[in-house]
């Protein structure tokens, strides 16, 4: 069975779409970055490096400094699938990120998005 193509897609190829989605709803790039850093443990500088060096999603999550343990509190549906029911670990991490960006775009408060 082959991997889904998102695994080999560069994070930098999708990142602008996250930012555009947020900005269309009057949210900011900084908030997108804050979410990504909260989820993965990357610093702002490390995230910038990942975006510039072509790191793909599989590497991005495998090399994440410190995945946030509260990410397991993220529940809901993305693309018709409940994120908490996804068994494949990397796909679940990708969908967690998608869900957080969706919540940002829907106007949810950062404290709630970051499960604080």
């Amino acid at each position: 069975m082959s991997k889904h193509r998102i695994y080999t897609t560069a994070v930098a190829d999708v990142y602008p779409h996250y930012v555009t989605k947020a900005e269309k709803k009057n949210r900011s790039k900084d908030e997108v970055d804050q979410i990504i850093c909260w989820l993965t443990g990357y610093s702002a500088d490390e995230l910038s490096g990942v975006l510039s060096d072509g790191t793909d999603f599989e590497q991005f999550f495998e090399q994440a400094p410190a995945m946030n343990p509260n990410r397991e509190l993220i529940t809901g549906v993305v693309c018709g699938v409940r994120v908490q029911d996804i068994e494949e670990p990397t796909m679940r991490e990708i969908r967690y990120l998608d869900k957080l960006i969706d919540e940002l775009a829907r106007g949810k408060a950062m404290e709630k998005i970051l499960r604080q």
Side-chain angles (χ1 to χ4, degrees), residues 3-50:
K3 292 181 187 178
H4 191 282
R5 69 181 182 152
I6 191 67
Y7 287 63
T8 57
T9 301
V11 176
D13 291 346
V14 178
Y15 177 80
H17 299 287
Y18 292 150
V19 173
T20 299
K21 184 173 191 170
E23 288 177 342
K24 281 184 179 178
K25 299 294 184 167
N26 297 317
R27 301 305 287 257
S28 71
K29 174 189 172 297
D30 289 341
E31 288 174 309
V32 171
D33 292 353
Q34 183 181 358
I35 287 170
I36 294 171
C37 292
W38 174 86
L39 179 64
T40 61
Y42 284 105
S43 69
D45 287 341
E46 290 168 330
L47 177 57
S48 179
V50 164

Side-chain angles (χ1 to χ4, degrees), residues 1-110:
M1 188 162 105
S2 63
K3 292 181 187 178
H4 191 282
R5 69 181 182 152
I6 191 67
Y7 287 63
T8 57
T9 301
V11 176
D13 291 346
V14 178
Y15 177 80
H17 299 287
Y18 292 150
V19 173
T20 299
K21 184 173 191 170
E23 288 177 342
K24 281 184 179 178
K25 299 294 184 167
N26 297 317
R27 301 305 287 257
S28 71
K29 174 189 172 297
D30 289 341
E31 288 174 309
V32 171
D33 292 353
Q34 183 181 358
I35 287 170
I36 294 171
C37 292
W38 174 86
L39 179 64
T40 61
Y42 284 105
S43 69
D45 287 341
E46 290 168 330
L47 177 57
S48 179
V50 164
L51 295 174
S52 65
D53 71 11
T55 300
D56 65 34
F57 273 97
E58 188 169 37
Q59 295 167 332
F60 179 72
F61 287 109
E62 284 176 359
Q63 298 169 3
M67 294 301 294
N68 193 307
N70 286 345
R71 73 190 185 283
E72 294 179 7
L73 300 174
I74 302 167
T75 59
V77 178
V78 174
C79 298
V81 178
R82 293 205 158 276
V83 293
Q84 63 271 25
D85 295 341
I86 298 171
E87 292 187 23
E88 203 292 308
T90 303
M91 183 60 75
R92 186 174 49 246
E93 302 300 349
I94 293 167
R95 294 304 184 191
Y96 281 155
L97 178 55
D98 291 344
K99 180 66 177 168
L100 295 174
I101 299 299
D102 285 351
E103 290 176 357
L104 179 68
R106 283 199 315 265
K108 197 169 190 180
M110 283 301 285

